[in-house]
């Protein structure tokens, strides 16, 4: 069996950004305005409000902004490996089109020329969409996912495709077939996963915004471990059309951003009904980007006892409790709430998610979809086996086997059906809690970012890093992760806020109330100081 070496793939991709000068300005100045190279340093570290203001007033061009971020990718991504594919010329072309639109006085969309990095799980016409897997190494979709169509309509610049755990299965980024992403705060450590590249790209200011997908925590957990804002919307808020499916009843697409403002903008751009996803909900989309600054009076915050129990690192607990104290000082009321079935959340998730995955991934057999082995054998079954054997990595195979088992005759009632019943109880716990409180707050993860390789041989230990995020997916609720501290070794700590279905507006406003009082979101990993 000969598999393409991931380093070859990497080199090939780096070549695509090879025309960008290390200083961050293109060798051939695409703006023709000859701005000095220091423009880069300030542009990529500007706040959202400032970046948008300067774009809209035409003080800076979309090409300049795009070029600055491409420069940061060129300079930093060799160390971080957040991107799987960057097509510089295409990004600059998109930016030029937006600049022309502005120059001719046409209205410019909500994202106004801001770059967005896209997790490699969202089909994008003409761009490789590998899902972090060798199975889809050669896949170039002929169509755009709904979220991508929305980004184009909102005048975003699609700046690159981000690395991820294979088929979004993982919590560390280490399951990517193309090599792991590293945490910009400490490159010996993992950035979280599965949206590893999206989180690392935003944390290192290689893009101000990114899209991820969250099935059990894959936006919130890496956002927490990388010190940025990440949001999983309510199930049904964002169309999954064109999102390569992992576990369809849990998957949601959502924003990662340097601050709450960015998350509000990106969420607003991608939300809304789409007839091509039967689970997409007909709900009006509030103007999140207009309302996020409004504080919530009389906010009641639920503190789930189960999320502060054994296993929570002391430094994380301290920072999260400090964040709760900030809310109290703003007039919020704290109340203990109970989520008694949350102790079953991981077990329930790994039955529901793997069952759905085993069905969703059945299509990759080398005939319908995906990698076809050269060693085709003597029969159709042998060809399927060889293709799936080569195309899928170990974690994906483990999950397919678990899912097939849990759905099999004689076991389905004991495992899959039982898991669905417990899932209902987990949702009911939240319904009861939300009768007394407006949001629920707690840690995003039990520990800060761990070292690469630390948990790869122990899948159960790895699965535990999603212990606080997974319940929101099982219950279909929206959740946001915001930076709330640094450990003594300078690793980010995240605060998670959860709300009832379709209350993203409440969540963003609550998140912003805290953000305004602190400067954690302005802290940069040393590597991103450019
Ligand atoms: N870490 C979880 C898993 O491995 C969640 C992944 C996700 O949200 N996509 O399945």
């Amino acid at each position: 069996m000969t598999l393409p070496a991931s380093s070859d793939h990497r080199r090939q991709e780096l070549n695509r950004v090879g025309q960008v000068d290390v200083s961050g300005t293109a060798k051939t100045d695409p703006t023709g305005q000859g701005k000095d190279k220091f423009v880069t340093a300030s542009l990529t570290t500007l706040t959202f409000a400032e970046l948008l203001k300067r774009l809209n007033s035409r003080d800076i061009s979309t090409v300049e902004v795009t070029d600055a971020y491409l420069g940061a990718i060129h300079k930093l991504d060799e160390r971080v490996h957040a991107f799987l594919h960057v097509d510089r010329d295409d990004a600059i072309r998109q930016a030029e089109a937006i600049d022309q639109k502005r120059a001719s006085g046409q209205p410019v969309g909500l994202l106004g020329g801001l770059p967005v990095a896209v997790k490699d799980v969202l089909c994008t016409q003409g761009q490789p969409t590998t899902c972090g897997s060798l199975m889809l190494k050669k896949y170039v979709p002929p169509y755009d996912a709904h979220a991508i169509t929305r980004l184009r309509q909102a005048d975003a610049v699609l700046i690159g495709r981000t690395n991820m755990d294979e088929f979004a299965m993982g919590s560390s980024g280490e399951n990517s077939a193309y090599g792991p992403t590293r945490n910009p705060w400490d490159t010996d450590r993992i950035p979280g996963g599965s949206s590893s590249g999206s989180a690392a790209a935003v944390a290192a200011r290689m893009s101000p915004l990114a899209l991820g997908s969250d099935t059990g925590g894959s936006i919130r957990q890496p956002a927490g471990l990388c010190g940025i804002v990440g949001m999983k919307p309510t199930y049904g808020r964002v169309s999954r059309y064109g999102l390569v499916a992992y576990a369809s009843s849990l998957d949601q697409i959502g924003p990662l951003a340097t601050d709450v403002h960015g998350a509000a903008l990106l969420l607003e751009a991608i939300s809304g009904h789409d007839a091509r996803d039967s689970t997409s909900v007909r709900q009006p989309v509030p103007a999140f980007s207009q309302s996020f600054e409004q504080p919530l009076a009389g906010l009641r915050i639920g503190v789930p006892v189960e999320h502060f129990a054994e296993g929570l690192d002391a430094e994380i607990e301290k920072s999260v409790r400090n964040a709760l104290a900030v809310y109290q000082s703003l007039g919020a009321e704290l109340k203990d709430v109970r989520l008694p079935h949350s102790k079953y959340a991981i077990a329930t998730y790994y039955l529901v998610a793997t069952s759905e995955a085993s069905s969703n991934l059945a299509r990759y057999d080398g005939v319908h979809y995906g990698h076809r082995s050269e060693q085709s054998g003597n029969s159709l079954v042998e060809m399927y086996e060889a293709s799936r054997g080569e195309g899928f990595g170990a974690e994906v195979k483990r999950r397919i086997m678990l899912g097939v088992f849990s759905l099999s005759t004689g076991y389905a009632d004991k495992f899959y059906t039982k898991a669905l019943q417990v899932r209902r109880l987990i949702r009911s716990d939240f319904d009861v809690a939300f009768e007394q409180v407006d949001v629920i707050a707690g840690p995003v993860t039990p520990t800060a970012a761990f070292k690469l390789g630390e948990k790869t041989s122990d899948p159960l230990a790895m699965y535990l890093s999603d212990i606080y995020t997974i319940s929101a997916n099982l219950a279909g609720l929206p959740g946001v992760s915001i930076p709330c501290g640094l450990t003594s070794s300078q690793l980010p700590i995240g605060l998670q806020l959860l709300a009832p279905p379709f209350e993203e507006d409440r969540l963003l406003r609550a998140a912003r109330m805290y953000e305004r009082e602190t400067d954690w979101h302005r802290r940069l990993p040393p590597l991103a100081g450019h």
Side-chain angles (χ1 to χ4, degrees):
M1 180 171 88
T2 46
L3 295 179
S6 47
S7 57
D8 285 353
H9 178 89
R10 179 78 188 123
R11 213 171 303 126
Q12 205 179 318
E13 297 311 332
L14 271 177
N15 283 341
R16 308 210 58 150
V17 284
Q19 304 149 38
V20 186
D21 187 58
V22 176
S23 68
T25 6
K27 275 176 185 155
T28 46
D29 178 5
T31 66
Q33 292 165 11
K35 289 264 160 97
D36 72 61
K37 67 177 183 181
F38 299 107
V39 139
T40 305
S42 50
L43 280 189
T44 56
T45 53
L46 284 181
T47 66
F48 254 92
E50 190 61 22
L51 207 50
L52 268 180
K53 199 173 100 198
R54 290 177 66 177
L55 276 165
N56 285 328
S57 66
R58 295 177 61 195
D59 176 34
I60 48 173
S61 70
T62 307
V63 169
E64 276 175 294
V65 171
T66 305
D67 185 47
Y69 282 105
L70 286 168
I73 295 172
H74 181 70
K75 187 173 167 194
L76 303 176
D77 204 38
E78 191 117 46
R79 277 181 282 163
V80 179
H81 192 16
F83 287 89
L84 291 178
H85 179 88
V86 176
D87 184 338
R88 180 184 190 284
D89 295 341
D90 182 56
I92 294 289
R93 261 196 307 275
Q94 296 174 58
E96 281 169 351
I98 297 166
D99 280 338
Q100 272 161 21
K101 218 170 165 179
R102 252 200 197 95
S104 66
Q106 291 176 58
V108 170
L110 194 63
L111 295 175
L114 291 167
V116 181
V118 176
K119 184 176 182 180
D120 211 22
V121 69
L122 283 159
C123 289
T124 303
Q125 188 172 11
Q127 293 205 9
T129 301
T130 69
C131 242
S133 181
L134 296 177
M135 186 54 97
L136 290 176
K137 185 170 191 287
K138 296 188 187 145
Y139 179 51
V140 179
Y143 72 106
D144 279 339
H146 181 74
I148 299 293
T149 304
R150 287 299 192 80
L151 289 188
R152 296 195 200 275
Q153 287 167 350
D155 285 318
V157 173
L158 307 180
I159 197 163
R161 317 279 309 165
T162 58
N163 202 359
M164 57 182 281
D165 284 299
E166 184 174 7
F167 284 101
M169 298 176 185
S171 309
S172 67
E174 292 164 296
N175 293 337
S176 168
Y178 304 103
T181 300
R182 289 165 183 274
N183 192 317
W185 289 86
D186 176 349
T187 52
D188 289 336
R189 291 177 187 268
I190 58 97
S194 64
S195 308
S196 47
S198 289
V202 173
R205 302 301 188 264
M206 294 189 276
S207 180
L209 288 169
L211 282 185
S213 64
D214 191 312
T215 306
S218 277
I219 291 175
R220 289 160 290 154
Q221 186 254 25
L225 298 183
C226 287
I228 59 166
V229 177
M231 186 171 197
K232 172 213 162 316
T234 311
Y235 186 75
R237 177 64 97 182
V238 180
S239 166
R240 289 177 296 110
Y241 177 78
L243 168 73
V244 179
Y246 161 18
S248 312
S249 78
L250 302 161
D251 297 340
Q252 264 299 285
I253 301 164
L256 296 102
T258 51
D259 62 20
V260 174
H261 186 180
L265 271 170
L266 190 49
L267 180 67
E268 188 176 329
I270 61 172
S271 293
H273 180 252
D274 169 28
R276 296 170 300 182
D277 169 4
S278 61
T279 62
S280 155
V281 176
R282 278 182 202 281
Q283 277 269 348
V285 179
F288 303 119
S289 62
Q290 303 297 309
S291 58
F292 75 97
E293 287 283 9
Q294 293 162 23
L296 294 156
L299 183 65
R300 297 166 307 165
I301 300 179
V303 183
V305 182
E306 294 79 3
H307 288 197
F308 290 86
E310 206 192 317
L312 177 62
D313 176 272
E315 281 190 306
I316 308 247
E317 172 160 7
K318 189 159 171 264
S319 288
V320 171
R321 292 216 186 265
N322 285 344
L324 295 176
V326 170
Y327 277 109
Q328 264 180 318
S329 74
L330 296 171
E333 181 193 345
L334 302 185
K335 276 190 184 180
D336 280 349
V337 291
R338 294 199 173 266
L339 302 171
H341 297 94
S342 62
K343 58 176 176 282
Y344 305 119
I346 298 256
T348 305
Y349 170 85
Y350 277 97
L351 288 170
V352 173
T354 57
S355 298
E356 293 185 21
S358 71
S359 166
N360 276 327
L361 272 60
R363 72 190 71 176
Y364 304 107
D365 56 13
V367 177
H368 296 91
Y369 289 97
H371 167 77
R372 163 96 62 116
S373 172
E374 303 279 316
Q375 334 280 312
S376 292
N378 297 319
S379 69
L380 186 64
V381 170
E382 280 177 32
M383 191 276 286
Y384 285 162
E385 276 176 3
S387 299
R388 287 167 72 81
E390 292 169 14
F392 289 138
E395 183 63 24
V396 174
K397 288 177 189 163
R398 183 180 294 127
R399 294 192 187 198
I400 291 173
M401 287 192 284
L402 190 58
V404 167
F405 179 75
S406 124
L407 289 175
S408 60
T409 315
Y411 291 100
D413 281 351
K414 232 168 150 174
F415 294 110
Y416 180 66
T417 312
K418 184 58 95 188
L420 292 186
Q421 289 163 346
V422 181
R423 181 177 187 176
R424 179 67 242 177
L425 295 173
I426 290 170
R427 169 64 188 258
S428 304
D429 284 352
F430 282 108
D431 291 345
V432 171
F434 284 127
E435 279 168 17
Q436 308 164 48
V437 295
D438 305 308
V439 297
I440 289 177
V444 180
T445 53
T447 63
F450 45 90
K451 290 243 164 77
L452 267 98
E454 197 177 314
K455 297 194 178 175
T456 36
S457 58
D458 186 353
L460 287 182
M462 186 75 91
Y463 296 173
L464 282 175
S465 58
D466 298 311
I467 191 157
Y468 307 131
T469 50
I470 261 175
S471 299
N473 299 74
L474 290 166
L477 307 176
V480 68
S481 164
I482 49 175
C484 75
L486 289 174
T487 64
S488 47
S489 25
Q490 299 298 299
L491 296 171
I493 298 173
L495 169 74
Q496 176 174 243
L497 301 175
L498 302 172
F502 299 103
E503 295 293 351
E504 288 89 352
D505 181 65
R506 185 189 298 172
L507 222 42
L508 290 163
R509 289 167 66 186
R512 179 61 187 152
M513 278 169 75
Y514 173 76
E515 187 184 71
R516 220 197 320 237
E517 300 299 313
T518 69
D519 73 344
W520 298 114
H521 60 292
R522 289 203 202 95
R523 305 288 183 96
L524 286 177
L527 158 159
H530 304 319

